[in-house]
Amino acid sequence: MKKVIVMIILATFSVAMVNAVPDKKKQNKEKVEKVDSIALMIDRADKGDAKAQNTVGVWYYTGKGSLRQDYKKALQYWALSAKQDNVDAIGNMAMCYQLGRGAKKDSTMAVNLYKSALKKGSKTIIPQHEAIVKNTGNLFSSLLLKECYKEGIGTKKDNQKYVYFMEQAANKQDVASQYELALHYLNNQQADKAVTWFKQAVKQGEVGATYYYGYLMFNGQGMVQDKKGGIKLLQNAADKDFTMAYYQLGRIYYEGDGIDQDYSKAVGYLRTAAHRNIFKAKWLLGLCYLNGNGVKQDYYFATQLLADAAPSHQKELIQLLNDDHNGTYTQYLQGLKKYYVDKDYESAISYFKKVDKAKNAAGKTMLAVCYANKEYAKRNVKKAIKTLDKVSGNFPAADYYLSSMLETGTGVDVDEKRALALLDNAANHGVAYAQCKLGDKYMEGKGVTMDLSKAAKLYLQAEAQGHLTVESAKNLAECYVKKIGIIPDLANSEKRIEQLKKHKQNNSLVTMLKSIK
């Protein structure tokens, strides 16, 4: 009986062993079919099938079957597919640049590729990155989603989600997001929240945040007011060349707000901001020239600055004229209006005589301009030159006008040497049109040794004042074409050249004069 039992067990084990033996023919067939399917897909990809290219890229990225993992090959196939606008392949390429797989890590390239895929219709990128942020708080994904919801890329604009993902990035110590988030809260009248994030960005050296944190501290917005501490931070921002810090410091010294009034310091700060087209700075600097505060009184410069700022300071202009009430400056402006707008030279002369009688050099200068005008019925060039000679050397605008007459021999013998000296003096003292004219001379080598670096420097000075002539703008564009080394922003040459070619003459003076009743 025992023998039978043993035989049954052995028989059963044998059957099990037989059933366990692999079917080599079947296995080899499956292997061939698997290899053939990979080879077939690669063949389709190599023949230009975009979907196949993306699939093969995935296989190389993950390592499928006989294909060993190879990020570079994966990227190559995805690049081919991406050229045919396959959004999945574009997104996969972005992943490679994001993680530095198959190519050097490049976050900018990754973001651009993700955005491209989204714009072309990808529906998977945003949910994938939202899941990543939720699970890991990944900074890259937070920044990508912040931009998508802000700009409406691949989704609708959503301010709430934009702020949410911006805050996620800010919490990861991304200084740009901290600064942007602070500005968002400041613009939405939430100064306390703005202060929190400006402070975080200041710790990381963000100059813009330093300015705003100082500004809020000075004014006691969102925190306890501390004018001295605020001024210190504003000075730090100015030391790092933040434009608005120059204006605020100029205003503070101009008004004596929280510090001893100092017009000289105010002029220094305001001039820097004004030359960067800050209209508030131009207005205050114009008042300094008008009243001789911190600088020699000069109606020419005062009017140029006030006219530039006038569109955003109409109420202040009206108040200024009301306060002056037919005073010397009002007479000067009325004379300018009669000269430039009405072309009534007799009336203009009557106004400028009143200004001259007040011993203001601007009045005598404009009297001479009237006397020399070809359209004036009683033109008297000799009288014009004699009048200009009386203020030449003390009033830069007079030097500019006299230089032109001496150069052309208008009513006097040509004196190129003196004309050039006067022009140079006017340019050095900030007369923009003198800077343009002298720059043109250096550009052409007319009366001076040709020097494109000097020409470019003069043109940039005039442009900073907002009074570059059309001809000088063309010449400055040529300096960009020739990449003159003194120009600070040659990297933007193409953009600047186009801007300069479209440059129009500044007509702010005439606009302001027309507004005066």
Side-chain angles (χ1 to χ4, degrees):
M1 188 70 181
K2 290 181 181 180
K3 201 178 235 186
V4 174
I5 293 172
V6 171
M7 289 295 294
I8 291 172
I9 291 173
L10 288 175
T12 304
F13 182 73
S14 298
V15 170
M17 288 294 293
V18 170
N19 290 335
V21 174
D23 187 337
K24 290 186 178 182
K25 289 183 179 180
K26 184 177 181 181
Q27 190 179 50
N28 288 337
K29 183 178 180 182
E30 289 176 351
K31 186 175 182 180
V32 170
E33 286 177 350
K34 189 174 183 180
V35 171
D36 286 347
S37 66
I38 292 174
L40 181 63
M41 189 65 73
I42 292 175
D43 182 61
R44 286 170 58 191
D46 291 342
K47 288 179 179 178
D49 186 305
K51 288 186 177 180
Q53 289 166 341
N54 182 59
T55 299
V56 172
V58 173
W59 289 351
Y60 270 116
Y61 190 87
T62 57
K64 178 181 175 65
S66 61
L67 299 181
R68 294 181 61 185
Q69 189 177 57
D70 191 325
Y71 295 137
K72 285 188 176 181
K73 284 188 177 181
L75 184 58
Q76 288 169 1
Y77 274 102
W78 283 333
L80 292 171
S81 183
K83 285 182 179 179
Q84 300 185 61
D85 286 337
N86 186 302
V87 295
D88 292 330
I90 297 171
N92 289 333
M93 284 184 69
M95 177 182 62
C96 286
Y97 283 104
Q98 176 191 344
L99 302 176
R101 294 178 176 175
K104 187 177 179 180
K105 191 173 182 179
D106 188 334
S107 295
T108 301
M109 174 69 82
V111 169
N112 290 337
L113 286 167
Y114 277 129
K115 285 183 177 181
S116 176
L118 287 165
K119 289 175 182 178
K120 293 178 186 295
S122 175
K123 302 298 182 184
T124 59
I125 291 173
I126 287 178
Q128 287 173 349
H129 283 275
E130 285 183 333
I132 291 171
V133 173
K134 182 178 180 180
N135 294 326
T136 68
N138 181 270
L139 175 59
F140 179 92
S141 295
S142 296
L143 292 171
L144 175 64
L145 292 168
K146 177 191 77 170
E147 293 301 311
C148 288
Y149 282 112
K150 179 183 179 180
E151 299 173 17
I153 299 174
T155 184
K156 291 182 179 179
K157 289 184 179 181
D158 189 321
N159 189 63
Q160 188 174 350
K161 288 188 177 181
Y162 156 63
V163 173
Y164 172 78
F165 287 111
M166 179 162 50
E167 190 162 354
Q168 295 302 305
N171 282 323
K172 287 290 183 178
Q173 300 306 306
D174 180 67
V175 65
S177 293
Q178 290 173 340
Y179 181 44
E180 188 177 351
L181 185 60
L183 288 174
H184 168 80
Y185 284 127
L186 183 62
N187 292 330
N188 284 276
Q189 286 76 51
Q190 293 177 280
D192 53 338
K193 289 185 177 181
V195 163
T196 299
W197 289 109
F198 279 135
K199 186 176 182 179
Q200 292 296 316
V202 169
K203 290 177 181 178
Q204 298 198 65
E206 168 56 51
V207 62
T210 302
Y211 163 75
Y212 281 106
Y213 192 59
Y215 176 83
L216 293 173
M217 182 181 290
F218 182 88
N219 290 289
Q221 291 179 248
M223 67 173 86
V224 176
Q225 188 174 42
D226 180 356
K227 289 194 173 184
K228 287 186 178 180
I231 290 172
K232 185 177 180 180
L233 285 166
L234 291 172
Q235 185 62 62
N236 289 341
D239 290 342
K240 294 177 182 178
D241 205 33
F242 194 80
T243 297
M244 284 304 294
Y246 290 115
Y247 163 68
Q248 290 296 343
L249 287 169
R251 182 198 62 78
I252 288 168
Y253 278 108
Y254 180 88
E255 297 176 358
D257 186 2
I259 200 168
D260 291 338
Q261 190 175 52
D262 190 327
Y263 287 125
S264 294
K265 286 186 177 180
V267 166
Y269 288 119
L270 291 171
R271 183 176 284 121
T272 300
H275 284 184
R276 298 182 185 183
N277 214 32
I278 303 301
F279 293 122
K280 290 181 180 180
K282 286 193 173 190
W283 181 260
L284 288 183
L285 184 60
L287 293 180
C288 287
Y289 274 107
L290 178 62
N291 299 307
N293 292 331
V295 68
K296 185 178 179 180
Q297 187 182 53
D298 190 315
Y299 279 10
Y300 176 85
F301 287 128
T303 304
Q304 177 177 288
L305 288 159
L306 296 177
D308 287 347
S312 57
H313 290 77
Q314 281 297 307
K315 290 182 180 179
E316 292 90 337
L317 178 61
I318 292 170
Q319 187 63 50
L320 173 66
L321 296 177
N322 286 338
D323 291 344
D324 190 57
H325 190 58
N326 289 325
T328 305
Y329 188 58
T330 302
Q331 301 294 334
Y332 179 70
L333 290 183
Q334 291 292 358
L336 291 178
K337 184 173 183 178
K338 290 296 180 183
Y339 183 86
Y340 287 110
V341 179
D342 301 333
K343 310 297 182 183
D344 182 349
Y345 305 114
E346 282 289 352
S347 294
I349 287 171
S350 68
Y351 280 114
F352 292 135
K353 281 183 177 179
K354 293 176 183 177
V355 179
D356 181 38
K357 189 175 181 179
K359 297 182 179 181
N360 191 297
K364 199 175 289 295
T365 300
M366 285 308 300
L367 276 173
V369 171
C370 290
Y371 295 147
N373 193 300
K374 293 179 181 180
E375 297 178 8
Y376 178 42
K378 299 178 183 179
R379 188 186 190 208
N380 189 331
V381 179
K382 289 185 178 180
K383 188 175 182 180
I385 291 175
K386 186 178 179 180
T387 303
L388 286 171
D389 266 328
K390 291 179 180 179
V391 287
S392 176
N394 294 313
F395 196 65
D399 290 344
Y400 169 65
Y401 291 123
L402 183 55
S403 170
S404 297
M405 298 178 76
L406 290 172
E407 181 182 2
T408 58
T410 304
V412 68
D413 292 336
V414 172
D415 188 339
E416 293 183 354
K417 185 176 180 180
R418 188 185 176 202
L420 183 61
L422 288 167
L423 183 64
D424 186 64
N425 186 59
N428 286 334
H429 281 83
V431 178
Y433 297 119
Q435 292 167 342
C436 289
K437 189 172 182 180
L438 187 57
D440 293 343
K441 287 182 178 293
Y442 279 115
M443 193 77 183
E444 301 166 11
K446 185 178 178 181
V448 295
T449 302
M450 183 183 289
D451 190 327
L452 301 190
S453 291
K454 287 184 177 180
K457 182 179 180 180
L458 287 160
Y459 292 145
L460 291 171
Q461 289 173 351
E463 185 183 35
Q465 296 188 66
H467 291 273
L468 187 67
T469 65
V470 173
E471 183 62 31
S472 294
K474 291 178 182 178
N475 287 337
L476 180 55
E478 185 62 25
C479 290
Y480 274 94
V481 171
K482 295 182 178 179
K483 298 189 180 299
I484 304 304
I486 195 172
I487 297 175
D489 55 346
L490 287 175
N492 296 318
S493 289
E494 291 185 10
K495 182 179 180 180
R496 289 284 284 130
I497 289 168
E498 288 303 310
Q499 288 175 339
L500 290 165
K501 285 181 178 179
K502 297 175 182 178
H503 178 74
K504 294 182 179 180
Q505 197 78 25
N506 185 319
N507 63 353
S508 62
L509 174 60
V510 173
T511 300
M512 183 183 76
L513 293 174
K514 286 181 178 179
S515 72
I516 296 173
K517 295 180 181 180

